[in-house]
Amino acid sequence: MVLDQFHSLAVLPADAVFDVRLRYMKDDRGCKVDLGIGAYRDNNGKPWVLPSVKLAEDRVRSDENYDHEYLGISGFQPLTTAAVRVLLGEGSQALDEDRVVSVQSLSGTGALHLAMRLLLATLPKSLVYFSSPTWANHYALSKTQGLETATYPYWDSITKSIDIEGFLKAINDAPSGSVFVLHACAHNPTGMDPTAEQWDMILDAIASKGHVALFDVAYQGFATGDLDRDAFAVRLGLKKLAHNTPVLICQSFAKNVGIYGERVGVFHIVVPRQDPADVAKLKMALLSQLNLITRSEVSNPPAYGAKVVAKVLNTPELTKQWHQDMLTMSNRIKKMRHVLHDKLVEFQTPGNWDHIIRQCGMFSFTGLTKEMVERMEKEHAVYLVSSGRISIAGLNDKNVEHVAKAIDSVVRHFASSKL
């Protein structure tokens, strides 16, 4: 009887990105290109350890007090205190008024998990709204907690831009007290971010309806090379929502510090303005809840990556180098966007491809259909997920023309089949 219950388990679908990666690895064609995985690659297609990280690792390991002891349940304080300054800025009123709770997490995914667990405890009946489309793991994270989800319009496939009217209508039509998950910058998967004026309208609408904003901050500094510019939406949100509801922020250092496998992140809760005694009481309750979740699930957070990132953030010369490293990554990605766009224009590929250079960050929603993606893989050894999203970081001077020719070929193939 017990064994029957185990046999009743369904085989779940594989993660699309890693499934693409597996097929890519098995391909023995020399011209193959992986545009699926969301990780930075240098111009030789190789993983890149940031110079600031190399220096930080040397300092961490050479410290006479270096050890492998447990961290506290809330994580490595030099990390969490520096991380919130990077995110909110030195002049943050929320920090000045001591309204922020910060705990270390297992990168951005772990921060989102903490957020979903907290929502289950506080707002179990509220709808959690994700952009359409969004990062696929958002749904898995909410579903495992039993939270009910909905979507708000985001990507207009015809204009290849943001459907701002649909977005605002969804906010206004949603039941008051709903949760809106917002990509702070470098929207995944579309690469298209709201303008400053659009963010103003979005956050005003969220405030007026008493909704909860949950910011997913996976690419600060990586998107544009400018930490402040990439934090614009979060900082504006804190001003708009200062007297309304708590703001939840999930911060990852996987992309902008390039330590994907070390799983370094921080989950922040900014509580609204109220009597200082009430703020202190609420912060204590929130911290105790988050510590209970961490203790029951992972005991306490991993130390090595946290110490490395903290060293980068708290050492002026390493911080300066890190800023340069982010520019190196973001500028190379911007360059590849323009090269790919220009090649498609040169080949006179049917359609308008300007959206590729209007987008930012690691990803681009190309507009390629599922059938085109399948043909790209089969005929040209170019691998990407079925939605047509490509990782611009996977392009380099050696493969970008091959990718452009592959896109041109499949677009023309399917255009001719409709004649």
Side-chain angles (χ1 to χ4, degrees):
M1 179 65 75
V2 171
L3 185 57
D4 288 343
Q5 296 303 312
F6 280 86
H7 278 298
S8 70
L9 291 171
V11 177
L12 299 176
D15 181 273
V17 173
F18 288 97
D19 192 42
V20 169
R21 179 67 178 175
L22 285 174
R23 297 200 305 274
Y24 167 83
M25 294 297 291
K26 293 177 181 178
D27 194 329
D28 59 5
R29 288 175 288 182
C31 61
K32 66 181 181 178
V33 180
D34 180 10
L35 301 181
I37 197 73
Y40 181 78
R41 296 292 182 259
D42 65 17
N43 199 44
N44 294 311
K46 302 295 184 183
W48 187 55
V49 180
L50 277 59
S52 57
V53 170
K54 288 183 178 180
L55 293 169
E57 287 188 286
D58 289 342
R59 295 196 184 197
V60 166
R61 290 194 299 265
S62 63
D63 190 320
E64 62 181 13
N65 295 314
Y66 176 62
D67 57 41
H68 294 286
E69 294 298 299
Y70 290 120
L71 298 180
I73 299 173
S74 298
F76 192 49
Q77 188 174 357
L79 167 69
T80 56
T81 55
V84 75
R85 288 199 310 270
V86 166
L87 183 60
L88 303 188
E90 294 291 349
S92 166
Q93 282 191 315
L95 288 177
D96 291 343
E97 295 165 0
D98 197 21
R99 293 189 285 112
V100 186
V101 176
S102 302
V103 296
Q104 188 181 333
S105 63
L106 295 177
S107 201
T109 300
L112 284 159
H113 173 71
L114 288 173
M116 297 303 168
R117 285 292 304 269
L118 183 65
L119 290 172
L120 183 66
T122 55
L123 299 170
K125 302 300 183 183
S126 292
L127 283 171
V128 180
Y129 280 79
F130 297 114
S131 63
S132 178
T134 193
W135 180 47
N137 210 23
H138 278 153
Y139 290 106
L141 286 160
S142 55
K143 184 178 180 180
T144 55
Q145 300 308 313
L147 294 167
E148 189 173 352
T149 65
T151 61
Y152 57 86
Y154 191 85
W155 175 255
D156 186 326
S157 61
I158 303 300
T159 64
K160 295 183 175 61
S161 62
I162 294 173
D163 179 4
I164 189 63
E165 291 184 4
F167 193 161
L168 294 172
K169 185 177 186 302
I171 294 172
N172 289 317
D173 290 349
S176 295
S178 297
V179 179
F180 276 78
V181 178
L182 307 169
H183 300 231
C185 63
H187 183 273
N188 181 4
T190 70
M192 189 68 74
D193 291 339
T195 64
E197 292 75 19
Q198 288 172 334
W199 272 123
D200 199 60
M201 292 186 288
I202 291 163
L203 294 165
D204 274 342
I206 287 175
S208 69
K209 285 299 298 280
H211 296 320
V212 174
L214 193 169
F215 286 98
D216 187 350
V217 189
Y219 301 97
Q220 187 190 3
F222 187 95
T224 67
D226 186 327
L227 288 166
D228 294 328
R229 180 177 174 183
D230 291 348
F232 171 82
V234 174
R235 296 176 188 180
L236 181 63
L238 294 185
K239 292 177 182 177
K240 300 279 189 182
L241 301 166
H243 298 284
N244 292 55
T245 58
V247 175
L248 313 183
I249 312 172
C250 301
Q251 182 182 26
S252 170
F253 288 98
K255 306 294 194 301
N256 60 6
V257 185
I259 53 171
Y260 307 91
E262 300 299 340
R263 315 310 295 143
V264 182
V266 184
F267 177 50
H268 310 277
I269 307 170
V270 183
V271 302
R273 288 198 184 99
Q274 54 197 296
D275 182 272
D278 291 333
V279 169
K281 183 178 178 181
L282 179 54
K283 285 179 58 183
M284 186 177 297
L286 288 167
L287 184 60
S288 68
Q289 292 288 327
L290 296 173
N291 281 348
L292 178 61
I293 296 168
T294 297
R295 179 60 176 162
S296 66
E297 294 183 341
V298 299
S299 184
N300 43 34
Y304 181 73
K307 291 177 180 178
V308 172
V309 175
K311 188 67 71 176
V312 170
L313 302 185
N314 289 302
T315 310
E317 58 268 32
L318 298 188
T319 302
K320 182 178 180 180
Q321 178 61 53
W322 178 48
H323 290 174
Q324 183 57 54
D325 296 342
M326 287 187 288
L327 283 170
T328 297
M329 293 188 289
S330 62
N331 286 341
R332 199 189 80 74
I333 288 174
K334 289 174 190 174
K335 176 189 173 184
M336 286 298 106
R337 282 188 181 279
H338 282 272
V339 174
L340 177 61
H341 168 267
D342 293 349
K343 288 291 182 182
L344 293 171
V345 172
E346 176 187 336
F347 298 154
Q348 298 183 352
T349 305
N352 188 306
W353 301 94
D354 291 350
H355 57 283
I356 292 175
I357 53 177
R358 292 202 313 269
Q359 297 162 347
C360 78
M362 182 174 286
F363 300 113
S364 172
F365 227 42
T366 59
L368 298 174
T369 66
K370 181 179 179 181
E371 292 74 22
M372 291 176 183
V373 169
E374 290 172 352
R375 189 171 178 86
M376 290 266 287
E377 181 176 320
K378 181 180 178 181
E379 301 294 331
H380 304 280
V382 177
Y383 287 78
L384 55 150
V385 293
S386 61
S387 66
R389 184 202 79 174
I390 64 173
S391 174
I392 299 292
L395 296 173
N396 56 60
D397 290 339
K398 300 181 182 69
N399 67 24
V400 66
E401 183 164 346
H402 172 68
V403 170
K405 286 180 177 178
I407 293 173
D408 181 74
S409 174
V410 300
V411 169
R412 291 183 187 278
H413 171 82
F414 284 98
S416 64
S417 68
K418 295 178 181 179
L419 296 177

